[in-house]
Amino acid sequence: MNLFKASLVALTCTVLMSCATQSTLNTGPRDASPYISQYQANLRSEVISDVSYELDFQLTGETEFTASTKVNFRLSEVPKELSLDLNKAQIKRFMINGTAVYPNYNGAYISLNSRLLSTGSNTVIVEYTRAHSTNGEGLHRFQDPIDGKVYLYSHFEPAAAQQMFAVFDQPDIKAHYQISVTAPKDWQVISTMRETSITAVGASNRWEFPQTPKLSPYNFSMHAGPYQVWQDNSGRYPMRLFARQSVAHQVPPEDWFTYTKQGLTFFDNYFCIPYPFKKYDQILVPDFLYGAMENAAAVTFSEDRFLHQATMTAEQRQRLAGVIMHEMAHQWFGDLVTMKWWNGLWLNESFASFMGTLATQEATEFTQAWRNFYASGKQKAYEQDSLVTTHPIEVPVATSQNAFDNIDAITYQKGASTLKQLRHLLGDVVFRRGVSHYLKQYSYQNAELDDFINSLAKASGRDLSAWTQEWLYSAGVNTIKAEYRCEGNRITEFSLLQLPASADLPTLREQKVNVALFTKGRYELRNDVTLPVTYQGERTEVKQFIGERCPDLVYPNFDDWGYVKVELDDKSFDTAKQHLSNVSDPLLRSMLWQSLWDGVRDGKLSLDQYLSAVFVNAPAESDYTIVGQIISSLLRSKEYLAQIAPMQQNYANNAIKGLAQMSLRKTMESRGEHDLQHRWFNAYIRLAADRDSLRHLAQLLDGTSKIKGLTLDQDLRWAIITQLNRYDAPNALQRLTKEAAKDQSDSGIKAALAAEVIRPEAAAKRRWLSRVHTDSLPFAKQRIIMESLYPAEQKLQSAATAEERLANLREMDQKGPVFMRSYSQHLIPTDCNYTSIAALDKVLDSQTGLSNLARRALLETRQAEQRCVLIKNTMGH
């Protein structure tokens, strides 16, 4: 640094003599945070173009890395202020256009000296060191507890590239990247392009990569470490798969490569645009924040979600295929064509969710993918869209800090459902033509919503402005209901009624749905007639049904074309309750199960009535997807039962025990059906709360009891141990200690942590909470503690620290959105009573400085409490 400062003195005159003509354009002062506002980002992108980065990294596996960034760019004019993002680095050398200067650096970004900039070409060089990240962003470092090997991976979305190199960190400043990496000789280095050379340099290797196509910063990536690699060149594009060496035995590369080849073929044909990159790499990484990330040609996947100790179940394989397809769709829609700003992130994610499901259904063995989408993802969208915090699909995003504020089921699944509905309106051929035109026109560029809609409008010859306003700029989910009259067992009047989401959300939408009429047969509900109907407004008459047999059940969204909640008429609701097992169509059966569960959540059907229907109908259900849907409602029911009044506790205990025993019986009966047996057994573990069920789980763990056809793999062993500790079963802690000594893998360490945290010990809970509030634990472990600390039935332990958690909310909020998303989801206190609701009201009224994310979480928690009270109060009615 002494030489650096001396050179600055010598260059003072040069600086004074090199003043460029100053512009009146001002990108505006930033707030010294690593985030940038949309306004400032727009101004920055207006003057900057032709950006390229030359990146050089020296990686040793230690906690810090050394690097240099050379940024080449053009300025249309020199603004008064211009910043280059670089987060928490130690700058060693800094140059602007060949002049070494002392950087005006605040730890978040460098303010570039405008006197040294010029209209036209500019070059900035930054040499620096930085600590690796441990929160899953930037260049994350992980040391394998099994063999001590170090693995690195990058994650940049939404604006974390600045945690790895100096960058104009916003999506609409696309750039070319050329990267060089020095790394230990046993390491692999993976990036957007394949390396052009690997040269020995002492004890290391020097990796050189060619320049990438134009990419937004968050789509570029670099990963390094002694990864195990599998290769498959049997398809049109070379494919590779990477994972840590210690978990390589858990990876089924044949499944990964099969789904990847199927997806690449499907998307090439669907988009009529070849895959835009030269190879397809996929990397399994630890401590990942999300399920996967669409880095161009180097997609990262979470080990926690996609590594399993035993042969994958059908559910796990379908999830893998679906996520591979989702991230692959992004290679075109997101990487090739990228949104201009974060308000467009929904379109990336909605489109990838829609296309991922479509590809899974049409290109893989999972031909029920849309049914699975309805039963899981779409229900999350309906629930999210019914909350007080609902929002339009397209919403403003003030700063890059707010990029994920509204990333939820509305962004993903409602958006996907909306695109699916638009495809029905326009027809598949027209929809495909519009999408292909959009991708071709804006390849390697940034685009906005209007660009996408205009492409579809041009392909269809239809004005889509009203559709766009109704669906994308208006919040809430509508409800549809059939209203009809019969005389002499024949329909004389039939209409579809559309209800607004609420008085505050009055929008009524145009939609095309399939309406189906059913009558009772001796053994099944018989589908008499099905009719596509395009409806709009409050009431749409359907005269085609006049004269048809009077139905016992009307389902106005048959085949799930529409995004709309269905309210069954009274006759249809009664038929659904009494004849569920007589419905042969699996999607309709799934929808009727959902109608019953919606009745519980809306206060129309008591929880005990719903569970009675479950005990009668669930044992006869053999469809794998529907079984998963039912089990999901049972696990939620168990949480509600844990909250009911003391006078009803006997019923709650018996109901939970009955559900556990039903799950065990179905596990035993499903011998020979591996997937179904595992689905029911996992339910049995999670529903087990009574003494007999917990004792039986312990016996299974010890091998003194067995279930035919079932083998306890390591994942199941940990699930049982966690449940035993959750209820402090005899010898549960000793079992945990013994298992942890045998399984010292990363997944084993995390499972042991979850099992220890979930134990119902008040003093220990306080210590764990203190570690969340004050410790600098890696975020992956903090997240496990938060998720495991207060299960629903541990009401006294939760109440003991409720005031402390609410009082600390603002301080926790300041730890940033990554931390706060987990904290607000798991540690805002709840108790399913009016006192808890009042406490949340008080925080909302008094803590006005909370982030949008934290306030939203409080509002949603309060509404969930209100629903819980409603469900509790309807019990027995």
Side-chain angles (χ1 to χ4, degrees):
M1 291 300 291
N2 289 337
L3 289 173
F4 189 20
K5 291 179 180 178
S7 68
L8 295 180
V9 175
L11 288 163
T12 300
C13 293
T14 305
V15 172
L16 292 174
M17 293 172 63
S18 62
C19 298
T21 302
Q22 294 299 297
S23 167
T24 57
L25 181 67
N26 187 349
T27 58
R30 292 176 62 178
D31 61 2
S33 80
Y35 308 108
I36 190 169
S37 71
Q38 182 180 14
Y39 173 74
Q40 292 160 339
N42 283 342
L43 290 174
R44 189 160 69 171
S45 64
E46 281 180 12
V47 297
I48 295 175
S49 62
D50 296 339
V51 182
S52 66
Y53 298 95
E54 297 174 37
L55 308 175
D56 193 315
F57 296 93
Q58 291 81 50
L59 308 175
T60 64
E62 299 301 320
T63 57
E64 286 191 341
F65 64 93
T66 301
S68 69
T69 301
K70 182 178 181 181
V71 191
N72 303 299
F73 58 97
R74 293 185 64 83
L75 289 175
S76 59
E77 55 183 303
V78 178
K80 286 184 178 180
E81 297 180 359
L82 184 65
S83 57
L84 181 67
D85 305 305
L86 181 62
N87 186 271
K88 296 181 180 177
Q90 294 77 47
I91 297 176
K92 304 300 183 185
R93 185 166 177 261
F94 181 68
M95 298 182 72
I96 300 179
N97 289 330
T99 300
V101 292
Y102 194 83
N104 182 3
Y105 179 52
N106 63 2
Y109 53 84
I110 305 165
S111 296
L112 301 180
N113 188 332
S114 59
R115 295 182 178 183
L116 296 176
L117 298 172
S118 61
T119 301
S121 298
N122 293 268
T123 298
V124 174
I125 297 174
V126 191
E127 298 177 4
Y128 58 97
T129 61
R130 192 194 190 278
H132 285 288
S133 301
T134 59
N135 69 343
E137 294 187 309
L139 187 56
H140 182 92
R141 178 183 182 273
F142 175 86
Q143 187 163 16
D144 194 320
I146 293 290
D147 54 22
K149 295 181 185 297
V150 171
Y151 295 86
L152 312 177
Y153 64 86
S154 70
H155 180 80
F156 296 154
E157 190 180 32
Q162 59 190 274
Q163 296 184 35
M164 185 169 141
F165 58 94
V167 58
F168 298 115
D169 207 351
Q170 59 190 74
D172 63 339
I173 300 185
K174 284 198 166 187
H176 298 285
Y177 301 81
Q178 188 163 2
I179 186 171
S180 303
V181 180
T182 303
K185 282 195 172 178
D186 62 338
W187 281 25
Q188 298 283 337
V189 179
I190 308 122
S191 190
T192 301
M193 308 295 286
R194 280 294 298 266
E195 68 279 359
T196 52
S197 67
I198 306 173
T199 307
V201 180
S204 302
N205 280 337
R206 177 78 170 168
W207 296 66
E208 300 286 352
F209 294 82
Q211 190 178 73
T212 70
K214 271 193 171 184
L215 296 171
S216 293
Y218 82 94
N219 295 140
F220 176 70
S221 67
M222 188 274 286
H223 323 284
Y227 287 99
Q228 171 80 37
V229 58
W230 297 267
Q231 300 188 58
D232 187 324
N233 296 320
S234 62
R236 187 172 178 182
Y237 309 101
M239 299 176 293
R240 296 187 299 176
L241 178 65
F242 298 85
R244 289 186 292 128
Q245 292 181 29
S246 67
V247 298
H249 63 284
Q250 296 175 235
V251 178
E254 61 283 354
D255 288 335
W256 285 79
F257 289 137
T258 295
Y259 299 139
T260 303
K261 276 191 290 188
Q262 290 171 336
L264 287 168
T265 300
F266 176 83
F267 287 121
D268 268 5
N269 294 333
Y270 190 94
F271 295 136
C272 299
I273 299 171
Y275 170 63
F277 306 105
K278 294 185 177 181
K279 49 88 177 176
Y280 204 89
D281 289 342
Q282 296 172 110
I283 308 101
L284 279 153
V285 297
D287 292 350
F288 204 55
L289 290 172
Y290 311 105
M293 176 61 202
E294 68 267 19
N295 312 306
V299 182
T300 40
F301 291 80
S302 167
E303 284 184 357
D304 291 342
R305 298 195 192 184
F306 299 105
L307 277 184
H308 309 285
Q309 297 283 356
T311 301
M312 285 192 292
T313 64
E315 177 190 18
Q316 290 164 344
R317 288 197 310 277
Q318 181 171 337
R319 187 188 309 130
L320 173 61
V323 176
I324 285 175
M325 300 302 176
H326 178 107
E327 304 307 329
M328 191 179 292
H330 273 309
Q331 303 298 305
W332 284 265
F333 210 106
D335 294 1
L336 178 65
V337 180
T338 313
M339 76 264 158
K340 179 176 174 59
W341 182 246
W342 297 109
N343 61 304
L345 183 58
W346 77 267
L347 184 55
N348 281 5
E349 297 302 344
S350 295
F351 191 84
S353 295
F354 166 74
M355 288 303 307
T357 307
L358 183 66
T360 304
Q361 171 113 359
E362 297 193 5
T364 75
E365 72 265 34
F366 303 109
T367 55
Q368 79 290 3
W370 280 118
R371 284 209 293 117
N372 190 71
F373 176 84
Y374 168 81
S376 54
K378 197 169 188 179
Q379 298 313 313
K380 294 176 185 175
Y382 285 146
E383 181 175 351
Q384 189 77 49
D385 215 8
S386 302
L387 297 179
V388 292
T389 54
T390 187
H391 56 84
I393 294 175
E394 171 87 7
V395 292
V397 175
T399 77
S400 55
Q401 182 179 16
N402 304 114
F404 284 174
D405 281 0
N406 290 306
I407 296 300
D408 53 24
I410 293 174
T411 302
Y412 282 77
Q413 287 89 0
K414 179 181 180 179
S417 302
T418 300
L419 292 174
K420 184 184 179 191
Q421 169 60 204
L422 183 57
R423 176 173 171 249
H424 279 295
L425 274 174
L426 302 183
D428 181 48
V429 173
V430 170
F431 184 82
R432 285 179 67 175
R433 188 188 308 133
V435 168
S436 181
H437 176 268
Y438 169 78
L439 292 173
K440 288 174 181 175
Q441 182 173 356
Y442 297 102
S443 288
Y444 302 107
Q445 300 176 58
N446 296 89
E448 298 180 281
L449 174 62
D450 285 349
D451 300 318
F452 178 69
I453 295 298
N454 289 340
S455 292
L456 294 176
K458 183 176 180 180
S460 64
R462 172 175 170 164
D463 183 356
L464 292 175
S465 55
W467 183 92
T468 302
Q469 187 61 44
E470 289 176 2
W471 283 101
L472 305 182
Y473 290 101
S474 301
V477 54
N478 297 109
T479 298
I480 189 175
K481 181 178 181 180
E483 183 178 85
Y484 58 96
R485 293 183 60 186
C486 297
E487 292 180 10
N489 202 33
R490 296 289 169 179
I491 297 173
T492 57
E493 297 177 22
F494 194 104
S495 296
L496 291 180
L497 304 185
Q498 181 180 190
L499 306 176
S502 67
D504 296 329
L505 300 170
T507 300
L508 298 176
R509 298 172 170 90
E510 177 188 5
Q511 218 172 160
K512 187 175 183 180
V513 294
N514 220 3
V515 184
L517 311 183
F518 297 84
T519 54
K520 299 174 189 174
R522 185 173 180 182
Y523 300 110
E524 65 176 6
L525 280 178
R526 185 171 56 246
N527 182 196
D528 291 334
V529 61
T530 302
L531 181 71
V533 177
T534 299
Y535 70 87
Q536 54 188 331
E538 293 181 8
R539 177 184 293 270
T540 301
E541 287 190 46
V542 187
K543 294 183 178 179
Q544 296 94 320
F545 283 145
I546 294 175
E548 296 288 345
R549 185 195 301 266
C550 191
D552 294 304
L553 184 146
V554 178
Y555 203 85
N557 189 23
F558 189 60
D559 289 333
D560 192 35
W561 289 7
Y563 178 81
V564 62
K565 292 183 74 172
V566 170
E567 181 180 333
L568 294 177
D569 63 272
D570 291 342
K571 185 178 181 182
S572 296
F573 194 75
D574 288 340
T575 300
K577 281 192 295 183
Q578 297 169 18
H579 299 276
L580 200 54
S581 58
N582 292 340
V583 178
S584 59
D585 181 86
L587 178 55
L588 178 62
R589 203 159 67 249
S590 173
M591 290 174 147
L592 294 177
W593 271 110
Q594 190 59 47
S595 291
L596 295 182
W597 181 243
D598 287 344
V600 174
R601 291 170 52 79
D602 296 338
K604 287 179 55 182
L605 183 69
S606 69
L607 183 59
D608 50 317
Q609 289 176 317
Y610 174 76
L611 293 177
S612 295
V614 168
F615 285 121
V616 170
N617 292 286
E621 185 55 68
S622 59
D623 182 86
Y624 184 73
T625 299
I626 298 175
V627 167
Q629 181 183 359
I630 295 168
I631 288 171
S632 177
S633 73
L634 298 186
L635 295 174
R636 194 71 188 94
S637 296
K638 184 190 174 200
E639 293 184 9
Y640 286 132
L641 290 169
Q643 310 287 350
I644 68 173
M647 67 186 69
Q648 297 172 310
Q649 196 60 54
N650 188 51
Y651 167 81
N653 292 338
N654 288 334
I656 293 171
K657 183 175 182 178
L659 293 173
Q661 293 304 308
M662 180 185 74
S663 300
L664 175 59
R665 185 171 71 253
K666 290 301 298 179
T667 300
M668 294 174 170
E669 291 174 356
S670 301
R671 178 190 178 190
E673 298 178 73
H674 173 266
D675 296 327
L676 203 57
Q677 185 176 48
H678 270 254
R679 178 154 266 183
W680 278 115
F681 184 64
N682 274 298
Y684 174 51
I685 294 173
R686 295 178 67 183
L687 289 166
D690 62 281
R691 184 176 59 186
D692 292 340
S693 298
L694 293 169
R695 183 190 302 118
H696 180 234
L697 286 179
Q699 291 168 347
L700 290 172
L701 203 62
D702 294 339
T704 57
S705 180
K706 293 185 182 298
I707 296 175
K708 291 182 179 179
L710 189 74
T711 301
L712 293 189
D713 58 55
Q714 190 62 60
D715 292 335
L716 288 175
R717 291 184 66 82
W718 275 121
I720 292 172
I721 288 168
T722 300
Q723 194 73 357
L724 295 176
N725 278 276
R726 177 173 179 167
Y727 292 96
D728 197 19
N731 302 315
L733 185 58
Q734 293 92 317
R735 294 177 190 278
L736 191 165
T737 304
K738 182 179 178 182
E739 201 73 24
K742 291 194 301 182
D743 182 7
Q744 297 185 25
S745 66
D746 176 57
S747 60
I749 290 170
K750 289 174 178 174
L753 176 62
E756 187 174 355
V757 171
I758 209 169
R759 290 180 57 76
E761 299 174 355
K765 299 282 187 190
R766 286 188 178 277
R767 290 195 297 272
W768 288 118
L769 182 64
S770 177
R771 297 199 70 178
V772 170
H773 285 168
T774 61
D775 273 15
S776 57
L777 282 171
F779 179 71
K781 292 185 177 179
Q782 285 185 322
R783 182 165 60 176
I784 290 168
I785 294 171
M786 289 187 270
E787 290 171 351
S788 308
L789 200 51
Y790 296 114
E793 74 282 351
Q794 293 181 10
K795 298 174 68 174
L796 293 177
Q797 290 88 347
S798 178
T801 63
E803 289 186 14
E804 177 186 353
R805 281 138 61 199
L806 288 176
N808 282 337
L809 201 58
R810 186 168 183 177
E811 183 182 347
M812 296 301 101
D813 195 21
Q814 292 171 353
K815 292 190 175 189
V818 170
F819 178 90
M820 195 58 192
R821 273 193 293 274
S822 284
Y823 191 91
S824 60
Q825 184 177 354
H826 300 290
L827 292 185
I828 293 177
T830 59
D831 202 13
C832 196
N833 56 40
Y834 294 110
T835 302
S836 172
I837 294 170
L840 294 171
D841 285 339
K842 183 178 179 181
V843 176
L844 282 163
D845 291 340
S846 62
Q847 296 202 29
T848 56
L850 293 171
S851 68
N852 292 339
L853 189 154
R855 289 195 63 80
R856 173 177 168 168
L858 284 165
L859 289 166
E860 292 179 356
T861 303
R862 181 176 66 182
Q863 189 172 1
E865 284 287 86
Q866 291 165 341
R867 175 179 288 118
C868 185
V869 170
L870 173 66
I871 291 171
K872 184 165 66 172
N873 290 343
T874 57
M875 282 283 293
H877 291 78

Coordinates of all heavy atoms in Angstrom, one line a residue, residues 419-428 512 559-562:
L419 N -50.4 -18.3 -17.7 CA -49.9 -18.6 -19.0 C -50.6 -19.8 -19.6 O -50.9 -19.9 -20.8 CB -48.4 -18.8 -18.9 CG -47.5 -17.6 -18.6 CD1 -46.1 -18.0 -18.4 CD2 -47.7 -16.5 -19.7
K420 N -50.9 -20.8 -18.8 CA -51.6 -22.0 -19.2 C -53.0 -21.6 -19.7 O -53.5 -22.1 -20.8 CB -51.7 -23.0 -18.1 CG -52.3 -24.3 -18.5 CD -52.5 -25.2 -17.3 CE -53.2 -26.6 -17.7 NZ -53.6 -27.3 -16.5
Q421 N -53.6 -20.7 -19.0 CA -55.0 -20.2 -19.4 C -54.9 -19.5 -20.7 O -55.7 -19.6 -21.6 CB -55.6 -19.4 -18.3 CG -56.8 -18.6 -18.7 CD -58.0 -19.5 -19.1 OE1 -58.8 -19.0 -19.8 NE2 -58.0 -20.7 -18.7
L422 N -53.8 -18.6 -20.8 CA -53.7 -17.9 -22.1 C -53.4 -18.8 -23.3 O -53.9 -18.6 -24.4 CB -52.5 -16.9 -21.9 CG -52.2 -16.0 -23.1 CD1 -53.4 -15.1 -23.4 CD2 -51.0 -15.1 -22.8
R423 N -52.7 -19.9 -23.0 CA -52.5 -20.9 -24.1 C -53.8 -21.5 -24.5 O -54.1 -21.7 -25.7 CB -51.5 -21.9 -23.6 CG -51.3 -23.1 -24.5 CD -50.2 -24.0 -23.9 NE -50.0 -25.2 -24.6 CZ -50.3 -26.4 -24.1 NH1 -50.8 -26.5 -22.9 NH2 -50.1 -27.5 -24.8
H424 N -54.7 -21.7 -23.6 CA -56.1 -22.3 -23.9 C -56.8 -21.2 -24.7 O -57.5 -21.6 -25.7 CB -56.8 -22.6 -22.7 CG -56.5 -24.0 -22.1 ND1 -56.7 -25.2 -22.8 CD2 -55.9 -24.3 -20.9 CE1 -56.3 -26.2 -22.0 NE2 -55.8 -25.7 -20.9
L425 N -56.7 -20.0 -24.4 CA -57.5 -18.9 -25.1 C -57.0 -18.8 -26.5 O -57.8 -18.6 -27.4 CB -57.3 -17.6 -24.3 CG -58.3 -17.3 -23.2 CD1 -57.9 -16.0 -22.5 CD2 -59.7 -17.2 -23.7
L426 N -55.7 -18.8 -26.7 CA -55.1 -18.5 -28.0 C -54.9 -19.8 -28.8 O -54.8 -19.7 -30.0 CB -53.7 -17.8 -27.8 CG -53.7 -16.5 -27.0 CD1 -52.2 -16.0 -27.0 CD2 -54.6 -15.5 -27.6
G427 N -54.8 -20.9 -28.2 CA -54.5 -22.1 -28.9 C -53.0 -22.4 -28.8 O -52.2 -21.5 -28.8
D428 N -52.6 -23.7 -28.8 CA -51.2 -24.0 -28.6 C -50.3 -23.6 -29.7 O -49.2 -23.0 -29.5 CB -51.1 -25.5 -28.4 CG -49.6 -26.0 -28.2 OD1 -49.0 -25.3 -27.3 OD2 -49.2 -26.9 -28.8
K512 N -61.4 -19.2 -20.2 CA -62.0 -20.4 -20.8 C -61.9 -21.6 -19.9 O -60.8 -22.0 -19.5 CB -61.3 -20.6 -22.2 CG -62.0 -21.7 -23.0 CD -61.3 -21.8 -24.4 CE -62.0 -22.8 -25.3 NZ -61.3 -22.9 -26.6
D559 N -60.8 -30.6 -15.8 CA -59.5 -30.6 -16.5 C -58.6 -29.5 -16.1 O -57.5 -29.4 -16.7 CB -59.7 -30.7 -18.0 CG -60.2 -32.0 -18.5 OD1 -60.0 -33.0 -17.8 OD2 -60.8 -32.1 -19.6
D560 N -59.1 -28.6 -15.2 CA -58.2 -27.6 -14.6 C -57.6 -26.6 -15.7 O -56.5 -26.3 -15.6 CB -57.1 -28.3 -13.8 CG -56.3 -27.2 -13.0 OD1 -57.0 -26.3 -12.5 OD2 -55.1 -27.4 -12.8
W561 N -58.5 -26.2 -16.6 CA -58.0 -25.2 -17.5 C -57.8 -23.8 -16.9 O -56.9 -23.1 -17.2 CB -59.0 -25.0 -18.7 CG -59.1 -26.2 -19.6 CD1 -58.5 -27.4 -19.5 CD2 -59.8 -26.2 -20.8 NE1 -58.8 -28.2 -20.5 CE2 -59.6 -27.5 -21.4 CE3 -60.7 -25.4 -21.5 CZ2 -60.2 -27.9 -22.6 CZ3 -61.3 -25.7 -22.7 CH2 -61.1 -27.0 -23.2
G562 N -58.7 -23.5 -16.0 CA -58.7 -22.1 -15.5 C -58.0 -21.9 -14.2 O -57.8 -22.9 -13.4

